[in-house]
Amino acid sequence: FVFGIAPFGYSDTDVRAKDFTFPELKPPHANLRFDDQIVTSVSLSVNTKLLEPKESTDIIKPLKQLIVVTPTYNRGFQAYFLNRLGQVLRLVKPPLVWIVVEEKAASNETAEILRKTGVMFRHVLCAFNSSSVKDPRVHQRNAALEHIERHKLDGIVFFADDDNVYTLELFESLRTISRFGTWPVAMLAQSKNKAILEGPVCNASQVIGWHTNDKSKRLRRFYADMSGFAFNSSILWDSKRWARPFSNPIRQLDTVKEGFQESTFIEQVVEDESQMEGIAHGCSRIMNWHLHLDTDNLFYPKGWLLEKNL
């Protein structure tokens, strides 16, 4: 015990701070200049410019409304034609209104097809007795024109028969029309052995001539197909804006010879080719086909229902 508490050698009990002082840690001296950039904030992979409201100087113009007029009547393939055209119009950017015109009575079957397409439509009735007329679609289109004029619908009017074939590019090109636009249409000849072209010949957007393959139509002023032109709807109800020399209603005529309805109608809308616009790409693209399909002798079930096997 004594051995354990006895001091063994020398020990300095005077523990001074200087023996255990740590070295003084100071940041290295930096020469800051006034032009040095000082970081005041840190951004963690976030582009703050995207979050800041931007002052946009671009004015987004609304798209022109398309007014698509389709006469239809009771025949074979009617449901197929309407469904096909309706699905195409469904893919077109709005605004678009589809005016479908029937004769005598509006059928429930047609109304059901129109509702299922999802396209904004107006189901119009043509009350004119067209039993003695060779092409009843003339009066059906006139019923649509009267509807547009009465309600002053603003947009681009396009006559789209349900048995034709159209591309989406055509409908988007219609919105570039200011007054009257036209383009070439490819059509299958009645003999089904060749395709012919009818419509304008263009230099850029200027109409300088017409395609035609029928010598008997030399007396026609304009060689355009019914689905080969479109026009501004305000021409129907605002004659002062377009400086029209007369204020008579613009309608198709059933008193002219077959094939002349297009030309006589266009003559009421424009004076000459200088007031026309060729679309699109210098009238060098085929954007719709006119097919002559004979469906008169085809059997189809009443009310679209099969009561027994064919």
Side-chain angles (χ1 to χ4, degrees):
F1 173 77
V2 175
F3 179 79
I5 65 174
F8 241 155
Y10 173 78
S11 65
D12 189 4
T13 57
D14 185 12
V15 180
R16 298 179 181 180
K18 65 179 181 178
D19 297 329
F20 291 95
T21 56
F22 293 96
E24 185 178 1
L25 298 179
K26 296 182 179 180
H29 180 70
N31 294 326
L32 291 178
R33 294 177 297 178
F34 290 104
D35 57 350
D36 290 341
Q37 296 182 355
I38 302 175
V39 178
T40 58
S41 62
V42 178
S43 177
L44 301 178
S45 301
V46 177
N47 190 355
T48 57
K49 293 183 178 180
L50 297 177
L51 302 178
E52 297 176 355
K54 298 181 178 180
E55 295 183 0
S56 176
T57 58
D58 298 334
I59 300 177
I60 301 177
K61 295 182 179 180
L63 294 177
K64 291 182 180 179
Q65 178 173 242
L66 300 182
I67 306 173
V68 181
V69 176
T70 300
T72 187
Y73 55 96
N74 198 356
R75 69 196 191 282
F77 287 165
Q78 181 187 13
Y80 165 69
F81 290 149
L82 286 176
N83 275 293
R84 181 180 63 180
L85 180 55
Q87 294 304 317
V88 174
L89 297 179
R90 187 176 185 176
L91 299 176
V92 180
K93 295 178 181 179
L96 181 148
V97 58
W98 189 17
I99 301 180
V100 179
V101 188
E102 282 194 290
E103 296 182 276
K104 300 178 182 178
S107 65
N108 295 329
E109 291 82 5
T110 300
E112 183 179 2
I113 292 175
L114 298 180
R115 286 193 298 267
K116 289 182 178 180
T117 59
V119 179
M120 185 172 66
F121 70 91
R122 296 191 180 187
H123 199 173
V124 178
L125 175 64
C126 176
F128 184 84
N129 185 9
S130 57
S131 58
S132 59
V133 180
K134 190 172 184 180
D135 189 359
R137 294 176 299 179
V138 171
H139 295 283
Q140 289 177 275
R141 297 189 190 101
N142 286 339
L145 294 175
E146 183 181 355
H147 180 86
I148 296 170
E149 182 179 347
R150 185 191 316 120
H151 297 280
K152 294 185 177 180
L153 300 182
D154 191 13
I156 303 299
V157 181
F158 173 49
F159 298 122
D161 291 346
D162 55 5
D163 56 349
N164 290 354
V165 180
Y166 308 94
T167 64
L168 285 175
E169 181 184 3
L170 170 62
F171 293 96
E172 296 303 330
S173 299
L174 295 181
R175 291 193 164 101
T176 64
I177 297 174
S178 175
R179 175 170 183 159
F180 182 94
T182 182
W183 56 91
V185 177
M187 55 186 64
L188 190 64
Q190 295 284 357
S191 59
K192 308 294 191 298
N193 60 357
K194 67 176 181 179
I196 59 178
L197 194 65
E198 190 171 59
V201 178
C202 302
N203 180 13
S205 61
Q206 181 183 6
V207 178
I208 59 176
W210 299 92
H211 293 285
T212 180
N213 292 276
D214 194 344
K215 295 181 180 180
S216 64
K217 296 181 180 180
R218 288 181 177 178
L219 296 178
R220 289 174 57 182
R221 176 63 182 88
F222 303 111
Y223 298 91
D225 185 75
M226 188 60 69
S227 61
F229 65 89
F231 59 95
N232 196 309
S233 65
S234 61
I235 298 177
L236 300 174
W237 45 266
D238 192 356
S239 59
K240 294 182 179 179
R241 174 184 175 184
W242 302 102
R244 287 177 51 207
F246 53 89
S247 59
N248 296 335
I250 298 177
R251 299 292 186 267
Q252 292 189 11
L253 307 177
D254 62 348
T255 56
V256 298
K257 296 181 180 179
E258 183 181 2
F260 282 75
Q261 287 89 357
E262 297 89 344
S263 182
T264 55
F265 179 80
I266 296 174
E267 291 174 23
Q268 303 175 63
V269 180
V270 295
E271 296 179 1
D272 51 33
E273 285 81 356
S274 64
Q275 297 179 344
M276 297 182 178
E277 309 159 45
I279 61 173
H281 305 288
C283 303
S284 61
R285 297 180 63 85
I286 302 301
M287 297 181 290
N288 63 316
W289 278 79
H290 185 184
L291 304 178
H292 296 280
L293 301 179
D294 298 327
T295 60
D296 296 336
N297 298 325
L298 293 178
F299 170 81
Y300 64 99
K302 183 178 180 180
W304 316 108
L305 299 176
L306 291 174
E307 299 179 356
K308 58 183 179 180
N309 294 332
L310 298 179

